[in-house]
Amino acid sequence: MRREVTLRDVAELAGVSSRTVSNVVNGYANVTERTRVRVQRAVDELGYRPNVLARNLAQGRSGQIALVVPYLDTPYFSELLQSVIRTARARGYNVLIDQTDGDPEHERAFIAHGSRRLLFDGVIFSPLGLDQQALADHDPNLPLVILGERTSDGTFDHIGIDDVAASREATEHLLDLGRRRVAAIGDQPYATGEAAQRRTRGFREAFQARGLTVREDLIISTPRFNRKDGAQAMAHLLDLEDPPDAVFCYSDLVALGAIRTLVSRGLRVPEDVAVIGYDDIEDGRYSNPSVTTISPDKEMIATTAVERLLLRIGSSTPPPAVELRAPHRLIVRESTAGRVTPPAR
């Protein structure tokens, strides 16, 4: 049976000390690029695999990180989760997953002083029930990366997209189509609804930039960004005396619910009512019609979140907190552009 390759074997082949090999394997910066390349070549040649469990025990770590999200049944979070797991696994970490349902006390338990530190080494956290003030009271010793629209207090990293700019772009797309009775579904005018409020702000800015007036009766609040709320909000809009000719939905799930109501009422999408969503989930790509959407770079969000968290976990002195913006793009599909008829052969 083949003997397991050890750290010392790599060191001998690379002509360096075992400490240097350890520094390279663990990603420490105090190694020259030339030495790093030589050690990595030896690692690849010998097929060395670090003993992650032993390393974590020696460093007083669990080798696990937590990903805490409001809802696992939301495609955006399930798609993000896959990327987080893939990135963390490549770095030798397991991912513990928890769904909070937006419950403030459940969310607070993950970031409270001394909370669950034996279970995980750090947290990637997308809060829904906690407002900015509650987040500021987190354990300062807990490596923490926040996703979404709660900005950093200077002690944790925050990663999100520019919701205002993205929402303005979505609304401008509808206005560019010549639609003027544009509705918005998903506003949340309360303390923890910052993401929705930023999308409403972008919606308003698109109108203001063109000297157009927003109809307040066309801005509809919803408790969640799901199909049911989208369907109910769309039904309310269609019952108005002067219903909309276009709708900006604050998630693709809301858009799917809205489209269902429109079709059930005998209306055509986009001919009668154009619909745009947000998140670029897989369901929206294969729905009928497919959903025009704002697509955040979920892969970058997940990868950056893991990398920043592991940097905090591995640093004796926590690095300065950063505000990071992931890119987004508008993807035009059938719900605003209509179906493209292939040319006759």
Side-chain angles (χ1 to χ4, degrees), residues 153-340:
D153 66 349
T155 59
F156 55 78
D157 297 322
H158 170 243
I159 306 168
I161 73 168
D162 189 335
D163 263 322
V164 176
S167 300
R168 177 170 175 166
E169 188 174 349
T171 308
E172 287 173 342
H173 172 63
L174 297 175
L175 295 174
D176 287 342
L177 296 174
R179 310 300 172 111
R180 290 297 178 265
R181 302 189 310 277
V182 182
I185 299 177
D187 189 38
Q188 295 176 344
Y190 42 80
T192 57
E194 289 106 322
Q197 292 164 25
R198 291 173 191 262
R199 292 173 197 184
T200 300
R201 178 180 161 192
F203 174 78
R204 292 183 181 279
E205 285 186 1
F207 276 81
Q208 293 166 0
R210 301 185 182 210
L212 301 173
T213 301
V214 173
R215 275 180 52 185
E216 298 300 327
D217 63 326
L218 296 185
I219 299 178
I220 307 300
S221 299
T222 62
R224 283 189 59 181
F225 294 166
N226 59 23
R227 297 176 183 86
K228 178 181 177 182
D229 289 339
Q232 291 177 344
M234 193 72 248
H236 170 77
L237 287 167
L238 292 179
D239 290 337
L240 296 175
E241 184 175 341
D242 189 19
D245 59 4
V247 185
F248 168 38
C249 299
Y250 291 11
S251 81
D252 285 351
L253 289 183
V254 171
L256 291 172
I259 290 172
R260 173 64 181 173
T261 294
L262 287 165
V263 172
S264 70
R265 295 282 190 99
L267 295 170
R268 300 167 301 165
V269 179
E271 293 83 357
D272 299 317
V273 182
V275 179
I276 186 170
Y278 204 104
D279 288 340
D280 189 23
I281 63 172
E282 187 176 24
D283 287 356
R285 296 170 215 162
Y286 295 97
S287 64
N288 186 17
S290 56
V291 179
T292 295
T293 189
I294 292 294
S295 177
D297 191 336
K298 293 189 283 287
E299 185 69 27
M300 177 183 175
I301 292 171
T303 300
T304 304
V306 173
E307 290 176 348
R308 290 298 303 181
L309 186 66
L310 297 189
L311 177 63
R312 287 188 167 275
I313 290 171
S315 301
S316 56
T317 302
V322 295
E323 288 280 346
L324 299 171
R325 292 289 188 188
H328 68 270
R329 60 194 178 105
L330 171 68
I331 299 180
V332 178
R333 298 195 182 109
E334 295 168 345
S335 66
T336 62
R339 291 174 174 79
V340 177

Side-chain angles (χ1 to χ4, degrees), residues 21-263:
V21 175
S22 177
N23 288 341
V24 172
V25 169
N26 288 300
Y28 296 144
N30 57 336
V31 180
T32 66
E33 185 60 27
R34 183 177 178 181
T35 300
R36 187 182 303 279
V37 170
R38 189 162 74 248
V39 170
Q40 188 59 54
R41 189 179 296 120
V43 167
D44 295 339
E45 181 178 335
L46 295 174
Y48 173 68
R49 295 292 179 268
N51 188 327
V52 176
L53 178 60
R55 181 188 67 190
N56 289 331
L57 289 174
Q59 296 174 342
R61 299 175 188 161
S62 68
Q64 301 186 112
I65 61 175
L67 175 63
V68 183
V69 298
Y71 307 110
L72 290 173
D73 63 351
T74 300
Y76 173 82
F77 288 117
S78 62
E79 291 176 12
L80 189 72
L81 169 62
Q82 294 177 48
S83 295
V84 168
I85 290 176
R86 187 165 52 249
T87 304
R89 185 176 292 161
R91 298 291 296 274
Y93 274 80
N94 294 320
V95 181
L96 298 174
I97 304 160
D98 201 290
Q99 171 177 296
T100 67
D101 295 309
D103 177 62
E105 292 309 312
H106 193 129
E107 292 187 347
R108 188 174 286 108
F110 274 93
I111 62 171
H113 293 254
S115 64
R116 309 190 186 190
R117 293 301 302 280
L118 294 178
L119 294 178
F120 48 76
D121 300 322
V123 181
I124 298 173
F125 185 26
S126 180
L128 181 63
L130 296 183
D131 59 20
Q132 194 68 40
Q133 183 176 356
L135 282 177
D137 192 35
H138 71 281
D139 183 351
N141 297 314
L142 173 68
L144 181 64
V145 174
I146 297 292
L147 305 181
E149 288 309 306
R150 308 291 196 273
T151 56
S152 174
D153 66 349
T155 59
F156 55 78
D157 297 322
H158 170 243
I159 306 168
I161 73 168
D162 189 335
D163 263 322
V164 176
S167 300
R168 177 170 175 166
E169 188 174 349
T171 308
E172 287 173 342
H173 172 63
L174 297 175
L175 295 174
D176 287 342
L177 296 174
R179 310 300 172 111
R180 290 297 178 265
R181 302 189 310 277
V182 182
I185 299 177
D187 189 38
Q188 295 176 344
Y190 42 80
T192 57
E194 289 106 322
Q197 292 164 25
R198 291 173 191 262
R199 292 173 197 184
T200 300
R201 178 180 161 192
F203 174 78
R204 292 183 181 279
E205 285 186 1
F207 276 81
Q208 293 166 0
R210 301 185 182 210
L212 301 173
T213 301
V214 173
R215 275 180 52 185
E216 298 300 327
D217 63 326
L218 296 185
I219 299 178
I220 307 300
S221 299
T222 62
R224 283 189 59 181
F225 294 166
N226 59 23
R227 297 176 183 86
K228 178 181 177 182
D229 289 339
Q232 291 177 344
M234 193 72 248
H236 170 77
L237 287 167
L238 292 179
D239 290 337
L240 296 175
E241 184 175 341
D242 189 19
D245 59 4
V247 185
F248 168 38
C249 299
Y250 291 11
S251 81
D252 285 351
L253 289 183
V254 171
L256 291 172
I259 290 172
R260 173 64 181 173
T261 294
L262 287 165
V263 172

